[in-house]
Amino acid sequence: MTADVVVTGGGVIGTAIAWRAAAAGLDVVIVDPECGDAASLVAAGMLAPVSESLFGEDALLRLNLLAVQRFPAFAAQLEEATGHDVGLRREGTLAVACDPGDHAALMRLTAFRRSVGLDADELDGRACRNLEPFLAPDVCGGVLFAGDWSVDNRRYAAALRQAMRAAGVRAVRDRVVGVRSRDGRACGVRLSDGSAIGTVDCTFVVVAAGCWSGGVAGLPAALRAVVRPVKGQLLRLRLPGGMPPVISHTVRATVRGAEVYVVPRADGEMIVGATSEERGPDRTVTAGAVHDLLRDAMSVLPVMSELILAEACAGLRPGTPDNGPVVGTTGLDGLLVATGHYRNGILLSPVTADAAVACLTGQQPAEEWEPFSPQRFTARVRA
Amino acid sequence: MTADVVVTGGGVIGTAIAWRAAAAGLDVVIVDPECGDAASLVAAGMLAPVSESLFGEDALLRLNLLAVQRFPAFAAQLEEATGHDVGLRREGTLAVACDPGDHAALMRLTAFRRSVGLDADELDGRACRNLEPFLAPDVCGGVLFAGDWSVDNRRYAAALRQAMRAAGVRAVRDRVVGVRSRDGRACGVRLSDGSAIGTVDCTFVVVAAGCWSGGVAGLPAALRAVVRPVKGQLLRLRLPGGMPPVISHTVRATVRGAEVYVVPRADGEMIVGATSEERGPDRTVTAGAVHDLLRDAMSVLPVMSELILAEACAGLRPGTPDNGPVVGTTGLDGLLVATGHYRNGILLSPVTADAAVACLTGQQPAEEWEPFSPQRFTARVRA
């Protein structure tokens, strides 16, 4: 089998790249053992350019802002291509605080967000409860971030797969174990079943295998070590029969220093997330994480105790040393990487596809991508 | 189809009766839509004759004491019949307290248990931790109930089904909607698919359908109203790979007035239970129940936060107005009931099978059963 482009990894990053590459006229094969990657499904789908971790990460903030601007048009194109609603919600995010310390932290975040031009409306406790009547009585204030949206990550991932297939991408259910090269240029991949897929002259292999990207032999050694799995556990809750939706905005809070968020879906489902754990490739659901997520969510929205706990799951985010993604050309001609999206994989998937397609078609990615080139890790090792 | 005995309900009560009736030489058919009833599988399998609810319920206590004495021989016979270990654990139960109020309540329970001849060894906090090193540091004391054992309810239920089939019982996967009668005597059952199963002359229909027993038309009206579903939610936790078992005894505690227990299995699995909720036939798993069970269990055994939450499930116990089972003959000749076992279904299953087989073969059940005859409800209505 040959193709213009071989994409390894069938999460939202890989499928978005495959879809847009095929739409650009390239012949694309995507390879994934599960055809639908775990980290993409274990996500809340928040489209929030700023999080607590972003103080001081200016380059990543600029990229996230680009990604938020890009998302609606990309989602609309995807919905048009597939006829499926991906569950984009524009109600905004209500961040609340229950005590003076949490409130002070929220005000610092709000000032930071305003400094980068993002909307933020301060609300007292009563105004918060006007927006979300089920908030706990001890919510003393909050801020509405009108531009922090969400998407139903499972609908979004499914639509991407459908659009990709409709665009002619061929899917291979296997695992890429290595990149093949000839004369200093990537020329295909080896699969775990011993077979190979070749690339046609002057085209590309794209490694987009999330936290597993380091497992692809033939990737430069410095890149193989860059991505690590960061475990995240989250819950899916459903409404009992007959209960109307509990919230309309994404609700987030810092509860005794721990971040918790509750993201509503159109069907009343709510996602509660998420832990962030350095445990290697462990995907077990633990009693402590489920307890803490429920405790924190119920402290902000007590009514959640009455909801159905439909699912508890764990995924592995691809983390990097500087929390930024790794997207672009590598030391090996014809080999691209698009990984390391950490907590922002859903948000960054449209702009990552744009950047990858630019590389594949001989154009420059948007300048916001410059700090996130793979060279920042390979160059450091050479020095 | 005809049989000597038709048993409706394939939980541990129905299968135990079917097995022993077949072993007594009767031709038995058992009817259950799921062939393995929910309440039997959503159980911890504690074999504890005394619980908080038993103060003042002397007749039920005598029955439970008979049941505990009977259990080991019955389990041994079952293991011999099937070749399968049912996971009977004789390590005993360690009841602990974390504050003076809980400790005082435990001392009252201990005095009551001793008054009926049960072993109870008082231990200080240090002695408790000698038995179970993972107990929380604030456990201030406890009592070892050496005679409170446990059985792996899922292994036990599976063994009963196997023994029953090996003894020649025929299983029909359907739901009994009514009892048929002729000349004032039960003569068979109607199934939901419209077919019927008849009983041979002078033999029996046994309604052992747990909380669904009231749905069987033809049962005397007073009995149909007696059993109600009492929802119980519990959790199954597993050890992460390489972690040795956390506890060897069943550990129970009253935490701020709420009862919680943790029952270990041979493979390291632990059952945490259980809620007791009056919600009709609702079997959803709720966020609040999972949270509270985890919180209470972790307050006694903090290490449980590291365990894998393998399952959260809900079952419907068949509750009765006096918390006692309803076992024996009814106003209709040839019709027996064996239901209402509430929280003691696993414990009472051997003695219930004994009582039912006595009725089926023209003998008297043990005298401990006398207060639990169906007549206590039908007579009351007549008066």
Side-chain angles (χ1 to χ4, degrees):
Chain A
M1 187 188 281
T2 60
D4 292 334
V5 180
V6 180
V7 177
T8 86
V12 290
I13 300 296
T15 48
I17 291 170
W19 175 39
R20 298 319 303 156
L26 294 163
D27 178 34
V28 183
V29 167
I30 192 166
V31 188
D32 191 283
E34 293 172 14
C35 286
D37 174 70
S40 298
L41 302 182
V42 184
M46 283 195 298
L47 304 175
V50 176
S51 72
E52 286 292 335
S53 62
L54 280 169
F55 284 109
E57 293 172 353
D58 292 349
L60 185 52
L61 177 62
R62 281 193 297 276
L63 181 64
N64 284 353
L65 290 172
L66 176 73
V68 157
Q69 287 157 19
R70 174 73 173 108
F71 206 96
F74 187 88
Q77 193 175 11
L78 183 57
E79 292 183 338
E80 196 183 311
T82 61
H84 287 305
D85 184 351
V86 299
L88 183 64
R89 290 182 71 115
R90 303 176 190 234
E91 285 84 350
T93 294
L94 180 60
V96 299
C98 294
D99 70 42
D102 292 343
H103 194 261
L106 181 56
M107 289 303 113
R108 286 193 296 275
L109 178 64
T110 299
F112 177 64
R113 294 178 62 103
R114 284 180 172 153
S115 74
V116 297
L118 292 167
D119 283 344
D121 298 319
E122 282 177 49
L123 304 170
D124 62 16
R126 188 172 164 175
C128 289
R129 276 181 288 277
N130 273 342
L131 283 182
E132 293 295 352
F134 283 106
L135 284 173
D138 59 346
V139 165
C140 60
V143 181
L144 179 64
F145 300 132
D148 279 17
W149 300 339
S150 69
V151 68
D152 184 328
N153 59 300
R154 292 190 178 181
R155 284 171 171 266
Y156 176 69
L160 280 173
R161 281 197 299 278
Q162 186 183 327
M164 169 189 94
R165 285 169 188 265
V169 174
R170 289 167 288 160
V172 172
R173 188 178 284 249
D174 203 333
R175 191 166 60 86
V176 169
V177 295
V179 176
R180 304 172 76 196
S181 60
R182 194 170 49 227
D183 304 331
R185 184 175 170 89
C187 65
V189 297
R190 279 182 291 113
L191 304 184
S192 70
D193 71 356
S195 68
I197 302 174
T199 52
V200 177
D201 268 4
C202 295
T203 47
F204 289 90
V205 171
V206 183
V207 174
C211 76
W212 308 110
S213 298
V216 178
L219 205 64
L223 289 179
R224 295 188 67 177
V226 157
V227 182
R228 72 184 194 283
V230 181
K231 180 178 177 179
Q233 300 189 54
L234 56 75
L235 312 175
R236 291 180 183 266
L237 281 74
R238 295 210 183 111
L239 301 168
M243 187 191 273
V246 167
I247 53 173
S248 55
H249 304 78
T250 293
V251 172
R252 55 188 306 166
T254 307
V255 181
R256 290 174 298 270
E259 280 281 309
V260 66
Y261 53 77
V262 185
V263 183
R265 300 283 190 244
D267 62 0
E269 188 178 73
M270 280 178 276
I271 316 302
V272 178
T275 67
S276 205
E277 306 167 63
E278 302 285 353
R279 293 195 182 229
D282 165 46
R283 287 189 55 201
T284 58
V285 171
T286 59
V290 173
H291 170 267
D292 291 356
L293 289 171
L294 288 172
R295 178 197 60 199
D296 293 346
M298 285 160 51
S299 76
V300 179
L301 290 163
V303 70
M304 294 187 76
S305 69
E306 300 299 314
L307 302 190
I308 297 165
L309 180 60
E311 187 182 347
C313 49
L316 300 173
R317 309 176 188 93
T320 62
D322 59 9
N323 294 339
V326 187
V327 174
T329 54
T330 62
L332 182 66
D333 280 351
L335 179 64
L336 300 180
V337 297
T339 182
H341 292 78
Y342 191 36
R343 295 168 58 160
N344 298 309
I346 305 287
L347 170 63
L348 290 172
S349 52
V351 291
T352 300
D354 293 345
V357 171
C359 293
L360 295 172
T361 56
Q363 300 179 303
Q364 278 295 330
E367 63 178 7
E368 285 86 349
W369 279 108
E370 206 173 306
F372 301 104
S373 149
Q375 272 77 46
R376 74 186 190 279
F377 297 110
T378 51
R380 200 175 294 166
V381 169
R382 281 193 206 122
Chain B
M1 187 188 280
T2 61
D4 292 335
V5 180
V6 181
V7 178
T8 89
V12 291
I13 299 296
T15 47
I17 291 170
W19 174 41
R20 297 319 304 156
L26 295 162
D27 178 34
V28 183
V29 168
I30 191 166
V31 187
D32 191 283
E34 293 171 14
C35 285
D37 174 71
S40 298
L41 302 182
V42 184
M46 284 194 298
L47 305 175
V50 176
S51 71
E52 287 292 336
S53 62
L54 280 168
F55 284 110
E57 294 172 351
D58 292 350
L60 185 52
L61 176 62
R62 280 193 297 276
L63 181 64
N64 284 351
L65 291 171
L66 177 73
V68 157
Q69 288 158 20
R70 173 72 172 107
F71 207 95
F74 187 87
Q77 193 174 10
L78 183 57
E79 292 183 336
E80 196 183 312
T82 61
H84 288 305
D85 184 352
V86 299
L88 182 65
R89 290 181 71 113
R90 303 174 189 236
E91 284 85 350
T93 294
L94 180 61
V96 299
C98 294
D99 70 42
D102 293 342
H103 195 261
L106 181 57
M107 289 305 112
R108 286 193 296 274
L109 178 64
T110 300
F112 177 63
R113 294 178 62 103
R114 282 179 174 153
S115 75
V116 298
L118 292 167
D119 283 343
D121 298 319
E122 282 177 49
L123 304 170
D124 63 16
R126 187 173 166 174
C128 289
R129 275 181 289 277
N130 273 343
L131 282 182
E132 293 295 352
F134 283 106
L135 283 173
D138 59 345
V139 164
C140 60
V143 181
L144 179 65
F145 301 132
D148 279 17
W149 300 338
S150 69
V151 68
D152 184 329
N153 59 298
R154 292 189 178 182
R155 286 171 171 266
Y156 176 69
L160 279 173
R161 281 195 299 279
Q162 185 183 330
M164 167 190 95
R165 284 168 189 266
V169 174
R170 289 166 291 159
V172 172
R173 189 180 285 250
D174 202 334
R175 191 166 60 86
V176 169
V177 295
V179 175
R180 304 171 76 196
S181 61
R182 193 171 49 227
D183 305 331
R185 185 176 169 88
C187 65
V189 297
R190 280 181 292 113
L191 304 185
S192 69
D193 71 357
S195 68
I197 302 174
T199 52
V200 177
D201 268 4
C202 294
T203 47
F204 290 90
V205 172
V206 183
V207 175
C211 76
W212 308 110
S213 298
V216 178
L219 205 65
L223 288 180
R224 294 188 66 176
V226 156
V227 181
R228 71 183 194 283
V230 181
K231 180 178 175 180
Q233 299 189 55
L234 57 73
L235 312 176
R236 291 181 184 265
L237 280 74
R238 294 210 183 111
L239 300 170
M243 188 190 271
V246 167
I247 53 174
S248 56
H249 303 78
T250 293
V251 172
R252 55 188 307 166
T254 306
V255 181
R256 292 174 297 271
E259 280 281 309
V260 66
Y261 53 77
V262 185
V263 184
R265 301 283 189 245
D267 61 2
E269 189 178 73
M270 280 179 274
I271 315 302
V272 178
T275 67
S276 206
E277 306 166 65
E278 301 286 353
R279 294 194 181 229
D282 165 47
R283 286 189 56 200
T284 58
V285 171
T286 58
V290 173
H291 170 267
D292 291 356
L293 288 171
L294 288 173
R295 178 197 60 199
D296 293 346
M298 285 160 51
S299 76
V300 179
L301 290 162
V303 69
M304 293 187 76
S305 69
E306 300 299 313
L307 302 190
I308 296 166
L309 180 60
E311 187 181 349
C313 49
L316 299 174
R317 310 176 188 92
T320 62
D322 59 7
N323 295 337
V326 186
V327 174
T329 54
T330 63
L332 182 66
D333 278 352
L335 179 64
L336 300 181
V337 297
T339 182
H341 292 77
Y342 192 34
R343 295 169 57 161
N344 297 309
I346 305 286
L347 170 64
L348 290 172
S349 53
V351 289
T352 300
D354 293 346
V357 170
C359 293
L360 294 171
T361 56
Q363 300 179 302
Q364 279 294 329
E367 63 177 5
E368 286 85 350
W369 279 107
E370 206 173 306
F372 301 103
S373 148
Q375 272 78 47
R376 75 189 190 277
F377 297 110
T378 51
R380 199 175 294 167
V381 169
R382 280 191 207 125

